[in-house]
Each structure stands twice: as C-alpha cells, then as structure tokens.
Amino acid sequence: MVPLLLVLLLALVLFGVGFAVKILWIIAAVVLVVWLLGFLFRTAGAGGKRGRWYRW
C-alpha cells in the first residue's frame, strides 16, 4: 500500500511541476511580447531622440 501511495504522490508532484512550468513559459512569452512592443512604440523624447519606454 505504501509504494502505491508513493507512486501516486510522485505522479501528483510531477503533474504540479509540469503545470507550473507551462504557466511560467506562457508568462515569459507574454513578457517578451510586451518588451518587444515597447521597442516598437516608444515615444520620441526631447531633441528628437527616442527615449526609453521604461523607468529605471
């Protein structure tokens, strides 16, 4: 009975990790798209130079 429970627990943990990794990939793709769009749509600053779209 204990080995069966350990196998089920391992399967549950691996499923949770796989789901979390998939969500992280989706979030990373969304952040990449926003970052690239920031380069395309940044506004011109003083003197006609294109400024940064972020505030660091």
Side-chain angles (χ1 to χ4, degrees):
M1 187 71 176
V2 173
L4 178 64
L5 289 175
L6 288 175
V7 168
L8 289 174
L9 181 63
L10 180 65
L12 184 65
V13 167
L14 290 177
F15 173 75
V17 169
F19 184 74
V21 168
K22 184 174 181 177
I23 292 296
L24 287 176
W25 273 109
I26 292 171
I27 291 172
V30 169
V31 169
L32 177 66
V33 167
V34 169
W35 183 65
L36 290 173
L37 286 174
F39 280 111
L40 293 175
F41 296 115
R42 58 186 170 181
T43 59
K49 289 182 64 175
R50 292 173 72 86
R52 287 182 276 182
W53 63 278
Y54 52 87
R55 294 176 161 233
W56 285 356

